[in-house]
Amino acid sequence: MKKEKPAAPVASIPIPEPLRIQIDGKERLFDIDAPELPEWIEENKLSAGGYPYDKKMKSEDYAQTLEQLQIELVKAQAWLQATGKRVMALFEGRDAAGKGGTIFALHQFLNPRSAQNVALTKPTETEKGQWYFQRYVNHFPTAGVLVSFDRSWYNRAGVEPVMGFCTPQQHEDFLDEVPHFEKMIVNDGIHFFKIWLDIGRETQLARFHDRRHSPLKNWKFSPIDIAGVNKWDDYTKARDEMFKRTHAKHAPWIIVRANDKRRARLAVIRRILLSLPYEGRDLEVIGKEDKKIIGEGAGFVKK
């Protein structure tokens, strides 16, 4: 039987072929339209960046643990509604870090009337003329509500300066102002989480390749992804400066090593549950944090 040719990539974004990428001092060629991943990515997509596990978490173990944690989330939501407490979680990370999937796992069984996700598009002309934080504040939680942000005001600490979407002075002003802004959030009684999903470079390239070739995920693949492929070091520098200037006792950066999406999602949900003193919390079910996967501040990030 004649072997069928692999389907052509479904995304319509033009790509210069092949991409020339510097990794660990070596120039690599990466043709994202090729049907198969090159060996140097396939072999390192899980271990990239010093990831501490050599195998993904088993799907059955993940599903069982996730269900138990999601039951706890439902209990936590009932507590929020009964007490009027508020939760806000920012999800940040490089492109393809797994923010959307983690947010989905967090929200999957929560009542959407009091658990909302915010994923803002680029600012309108009106929003460009506003105080930078204004359009985000409009989505802050009211009593009894959990709000997550799929990217947040931290665009001004990463994407915007790296891609030239803001001025150096705007970037500097943001880094000066944001700790005070977040202090007000915490002082107002909001349970506030800043989560950075950290992935290795080969992991990111493998996920880009998957998006490029998937009829279900190609909408996630954007020109910004391609433009950022050779800006890995620029993003690293911006990230490290962000951690240095905005990691604070009142609003720490929670770092989750996310090469394995399953472990990362569980780590994020577990951290939120362990931080909320909700009625009926079952600490035995929630379990202990995996310190190989989750930590705080720049010292936990692999360079």
Side-chain angles (χ1 to χ4, degrees):
M1 181 180 293
K2 186 177 180 181
K3 187 176 181 181
E4 293 184 4
K5 293 182 179 180
V10 293
S12 60
I13 299 167
I15 309 280
E17 299 183 45
L19 295 168
R20 296 182 179 274
I21 302 170
Q22 289 288 332
I23 298 183
D24 297 329
K26 293 183 178 180
E27 183 177 84
R28 301 285 195 176
L29 300 180
F30 178 44
D31 181 359
I32 200 167
D33 283 340
E36 303 293 336
L37 279 173
E39 187 175 317
W40 60 273
I41 294 180
E42 188 66 49
E43 290 181 350
N44 295 293
K45 64 183 182 181
L46 183 62
S47 62
Y51 191 72
Y53 290 100
D54 57 8
K55 293 181 180 179
K56 291 183 178 180
M57 186 178 194
K58 293 182 179 179
S59 59
E60 56 269 29
D61 292 341
Y62 167 70
Q64 182 179 6
T65 305
L66 178 61
E67 181 180 22
Q68 293 302 308
L69 294 181
Q70 288 174 328
I71 291 171
E72 291 295 311
L73 282 171
V74 172
K75 291 158 61 175
Q77 185 179 40
W79 171 78
L80 289 176
Q81 294 172 320
T83 61
K85 299 295 184 182
R86 295 163 289 166
V87 173
M88 186 158 59
L90 314 184
F91 287 85
E92 298 288 344
R94 299 180 193 267
D95 293 324
K99 298 179 288 295
T102 304
I103 291 168
F104 176 81
L106 175 67
H107 283 263
Q108 187 174 6
F109 293 104
L110 298 182
N111 185 338
R113 293 179 179 176
S114 57
Q116 300 146 16
N117 184 54
V118 179
L120 298 181
T121 58
K122 66 180 182 180
T124 64
E125 287 303 313
T126 298
E127 289 169 335
K128 288 178 182 178
Q130 296 174 343
W131 176 49
Y132 178 72
F133 296 100
Q134 186 169 338
R135 72 187 191 125
Y136 297 102
V137 173
N138 288 338
H139 297 277
F140 277 21
T142 189
V145 171
L146 177 152
V147 172
S148 57
F149 282 85
D150 186 346
R151 294 199 179 278
S152 67
W153 46 89
Y154 280 101
N155 279 336
R156 183 142 290 182
V159 173
E160 290 189 16
V162 171
M163 301 305 297
F165 298 155
C166 71
T167 68
Q169 187 60 54
Q170 287 173 324
H171 180 214
E172 178 64 24
D173 290 345
F174 171 82
L175 293 174
D176 280 341
E177 293 165 2
V178 74
H180 307 290
F181 174 65
E182 292 173 353
K183 183 69 171 176
M184 289 189 289
I185 292 172
V186 175
N187 285 350
D188 202 52
I190 295 175
H191 293 273
F192 183 53
F193 301 89
K194 299 191 308 191
I195 298 161
W196 177 271
L197 299 178
D198 198 63
I199 57 172
R201 194 163 192 192
E202 290 91 340
T203 311
Q204 185 188 57
L205 293 173
R207 292 180 184 178
F208 281 167
H209 185 271
D210 182 46
R211 289 179 178 183
R212 177 71 167 174
H213 291 262
S214 169
L216 296 176
K217 301 178 185 177
N218 68 82
W219 61 270
K220 294 183 177 183
F221 193 71
S222 73
I224 293 294
D225 293 336
I226 291 303
V229 166
N230 281 315
K231 291 184 178 291
W232 179 272
D233 292 339
D234 294 331
Y235 274 111
T236 299
K237 182 179 179 181
R239 178 203 67 188
D240 292 348
E241 182 69 8
M242 178 185 76
F243 287 160
K244 177 182 177 182
R245 302 278 292 276
T246 67
H247 178 70
K249 184 177 180 180
H250 63 270
W253 275 106
I254 301 163
I255 314 299
V256 180
R257 292 178 178 153
N259 286 8
D260 179 359
K261 294 179 182 180
R262 294 167 182 166
R263 287 188 173 95
R265 292 168 186 170
L266 298 179
V268 167
I269 295 172
R270 186 173 283 122
R271 167 57 68 98
I272 292 174
L273 291 171
L274 289 172
S275 302
L276 301 178
Y278 59 92
E279 185 176 355
R281 184 174 66 171
D282 191 330
L283 293 176
E284 185 174 344
V285 167
I286 296 170
K288 296 182 179 180
E289 292 192 325
D290 183 349
K291 298 301 183 181
K292 294 179 181 179
I293 295 298
I294 189 168
E296 293 186 359
F300 193 71
V301 177
K302 294 290 184 179
K303 299 299 182 181

